[in-house]
Amino acid sequence: MRDREAQEISMLALDLLQSALVLVNTRLVDMVLDAEDWQAKLTDHDLRGLTPMLWSDVACTARSSPT
């Protein structure tokens, strides 16, 4: 029973870490977009590419029980 609780805590900690990573990535992109020198450099194509960039380093995990 203790192993199952430890696994659940580990999974929840990983979820928290992933959420924090997404937040940091979003804030970094916000800072770039707020900078006036970057606003002039970014094209429409660049802006369309931002969404995948925010999630590219996040590996979403399935929440199903192992079989």
Side-chain angles (χ1 to χ4, degrees), residues 3-25:
D3 289 338
R4 185 178 181 124
E5 290 174 9
Q7 287 177 347
E8 184 177 358
I9 290 171
S10 294
M11 184 186 70
L12 292 172
L14 179 59
D15 286 344
L16 180 60
L17 179 62
Q18 288 175 339
S19 296
L21 183 60
V22 170
L23 176 63
V24 168
N25 285 348

Side-chain angles (χ1 to χ4, degrees), residues 21-37:
L21 183 60
V22 170
L23 176 63
V24 168
N25 285 348
T26 302
R27 291 301 299 142
L28 289 172
V29 170
D30 272 347
M31 290 181 348
V32 168
L33 293 177
D34 285 342
E36 290 181 23
D37 56 334

Side-chain angles (χ1 to χ4, degrees), residues 35-46:
E36 290 181 23
D37 56 334
W38 277 103
Q39 289 176 359
K41 294 177 185 178
L42 292 173
T43 65
D44 288 341
H45 183 72
D46 295 328

